[in-house]
Amino acid sequence: MTYYRHALVLAHDQVDGNILLHHGSKMAHALGTKITVGHISSDYRELQYLNDNTVLSKQSHHVIEAKQMLAELAKSIDFPEGGGIEELVSITRFKDIETLIEERQIDLLIVGHKNRLFGVMSSYSFEFINRILIDVLVQHIPNEN
């Protein structure tokens, strides 16, 4: 069995964040794995062609909500000290994740995947498997029905 030193958990929302962090917490306690929690948002500023304050306001609001969600997740999960919360806001999610992996010497990426219509074609989890050069753990997230 491979022992991972540092895992990056990418939480999309509160539901998958609880599931993924619970799994990461088990690894942290059993193997001493350091956990960093992240969330990727789209950067609306890169999509706009004109200076639109409505778009900038929406972006700021989304970032604040994501940081609040990560803070709540971090409080609700029992994992050892030493991990951190990282907020990533970028359209170039793979470039930013690769940079974070290199800077923090992360050796495992934990992501979630829901079974949904066209999920195979539009899943970020599968994109990470194909693009990231470290191990990727894909945790199934049950549908909310």
Side-chain angles (χ1 to χ4, degrees), residues 22-33 35 77-81:
H22 181 72
H23 188 77
S25 174
K26 287 183 195 176
M27 288 180 65
H29 286 291
L31 307 174
T33 304
I35 302 293
I77 301 296
D78 175 34
F79 60 89
E81 294 294 320

Side-chain angles (χ1 to χ4, degrees), residues 94-111:
F94 298 109
K95 178 181 168 208
D96 291 340
I97 292 293
E98 287 169 346
T99 300
L100 187 68
I101 286 169
E102 187 176 319
E103 287 175 358
R104 302 234 177 147
Q105 298 178 333
I106 293 168
D107 53 0
L108 177 65
L109 177 64
I110 302 175
V111 293

Side-chain angles (χ1 to χ4, degrees), residues 5-18:
R5 295 180 315 273
H6 192 165
L8 171 61
V9 176
L10 287 182
H12 177 69
D13 57 29
Q14 194 84 22
V15 173
D16 77 339
N18 279 320

Side-chain angles (χ1 to χ4, degrees), residues 29-129:
H29 286 291
L31 307 174
T33 304
K34 182 178 174 181
I35 302 293
T36 296
V37 185
H39 173 79
I40 300 175
S41 301
S42 295
D43 189 346
Y44 300 114
R45 294 168 300 184
E46 291 186 23
L47 294 174
Q48 74 181 30
Y49 296 104
L50 302 171
N51 186 9
D52 184 357
N53 288 336
T54 307
V55 172
L56 295 175
S57 176
K58 188 179 211 179
Q59 173 73 52
S60 297
H61 185 69
H62 185 80
V63 169
I64 290 167
E65 284 179 345
K67 288 183 178 185
Q68 289 172 340
M69 183 238 346
L70 291 173
E72 289 299 314
L73 284 172
K75 284 193 294 188
S76 69
I77 301 296
D78 175 34
F79 60 89
E81 294 294 320
I85 295 177
E86 196 66 39
E87 171 64 21
L88 304 172
V89 180
S90 177
I91 286 177
T92 57
R93 63 186 172 275
F94 298 109
K95 178 181 168 208
D96 291 340
I97 292 293
E98 287 169 346
T99 300
L100 187 68
I101 286 169
E102 187 176 319
E103 287 175 358
R104 302 234 177 147
Q105 298 178 333
I106 293 168
D107 53 0
L108 177 65
L109 177 64
I110 302 175
V111 293
H113 177 75
K114 288 184 180 180
N115 289 338
R116 65 189 194 296
L117 187 61
F118 303 115
V120 173
M121 294 183 284
S122 65
S123 172
Y124 288 154
S125 299
F126 292 135
E127 288 185 59
F128 282 118
I129 291 169

